[in-house]
Amino acid sequence: MGRMHTPGKGISRSSLPYRRTPPSWLKISAQEVVDQICKLAKKGLAPSQIGTILRDSHGVAQIRFVAGNKIVRILKANGLAPELPEDLYQLIKKAVSVRKHLEKNRKDKDAKFRLILIESKIHRLARYYRLAGTIPPNWKYESATASTLVA
């Protein structure tokens, strides 16, 4: 499948191991992984940051294989899930920073064009999350109030 706003059709990526069991050398239990995830979430870290820390510091390559659930599902079960999905949050954050840049640099036509692309991605992703029930059906992205969502 191609990209949304670029001509690329790349599908290059790393592949997961065939075996879905945790490796034999991993000595951390499923409950310890869940506790660690909750502890990191209470510090205010995003799910992707939690996964990176567990991979780099604790040797847990795939949390799903060890704990039996994905990070966001574990957070949801413990009532620690973020109110906005992380990909939508990051797009809104990017749009706010581009808009702030445009306030100082009004003639930057490329930034204005990129902002339009970013906001169209936000609208498309928000439509998906509304249909999936992840965000409320009446949730709407507005550039005027976006900075309060990110702050």
Side-chain angles (χ1 to χ4, degrees), residues 90-139:
Q90 293 298 338
L91 279 173
I92 292 172
K93 191 172 163 185
K94 186 187 282 190
V96 166
S97 70
V98 171
R99 196 171 285 282
K100 185 179 172 188
H101 166 80
L102 279 172
E103 285 175 12
K104 284 185 246 166
N105 308 289
R106 293 224 178 262
K107 288 195 163 206
D108 192 350
K109 300 296 182 196
D110 187 58
K112 187 176 181 182
F113 175 71
R114 297 295 164 198
L115 178 65
I116 292 167
L117 298 184
I118 293 166
E119 288 185 340
S120 67
K121 285 179 189 174
I122 291 171
H123 292 303
R124 178 183 278 195
L125 201 57
R127 183 172 60 225
Y128 165 76
Y129 281 129
R130 273 194 300 271
L131 289 172
T134 313
I135 56 177
N138 60 351
W139 190 90

Side-chain angles (χ1 to χ4, degrees), residues 9-138:
K9 292 187 177 72
I11 58 165
S12 175
R13 59 182 181 266
S14 62
S15 57
L16 291 177
Y18 179 72
R19 291 185 345 164
R20 291 198 176 98
T21 55
S24 57
W25 48 263
L26 188 67
K27 300 298 179 210
I28 192 166
S29 71
Q31 189 56 44
E32 290 172 7
V33 169
V34 171
D35 293 341
Q36 194 72 21
I37 289 171
C38 292
K39 188 176 96 176
L40 291 170
K42 284 176 185 167
K43 282 185 183 175
L45 295 176
S48 63
Q49 292 172 313
I50 293 170
T52 304
I53 289 171
L54 287 175
R55 182 196 68 203
D56 295 345
S57 304
H58 302 283
V60 182
Q62 287 290 317
I63 281 111
R64 188 173 40 132
F65 296 165
V66 177
N69 251 337
K70 298 178 180 183
I71 295 175
V72 176
R73 289 182 183 169
I74 292 170
L75 292 176
K76 226 175 246 182
N78 291 304
L80 296 168
E83 65 273 355
L84 276 179
E86 189 178 2
D87 51 354
L88 185 62
Y89 176 81
Q90 293 298 338
L91 279 173
I92 292 172
K93 191 172 163 185
K94 186 187 282 190
V96 166
S97 70
V98 171
R99 196 171 285 282
K100 185 179 172 188
H101 166 80
L102 279 172
E103 285 175 12
K104 284 185 246 166
N105 308 289
R106 293 224 178 262
K107 288 195 163 206
D108 192 350
K109 300 296 182 196
D110 187 58
K112 187 176 181 182
F113 175 71
R114 297 295 164 198
L115 178 65
I116 292 167
L117 298 184
I118 293 166
E119 288 185 340
S120 67
K121 285 179 189 174
I122 291 171
H123 292 303
R124 178 183 278 195
L125 201 57
R127 183 172 60 225
Y128 165 76
Y129 281 129
R130 273 194 300 271
L131 289 172
T134 313
I135 56 177
N138 60 351

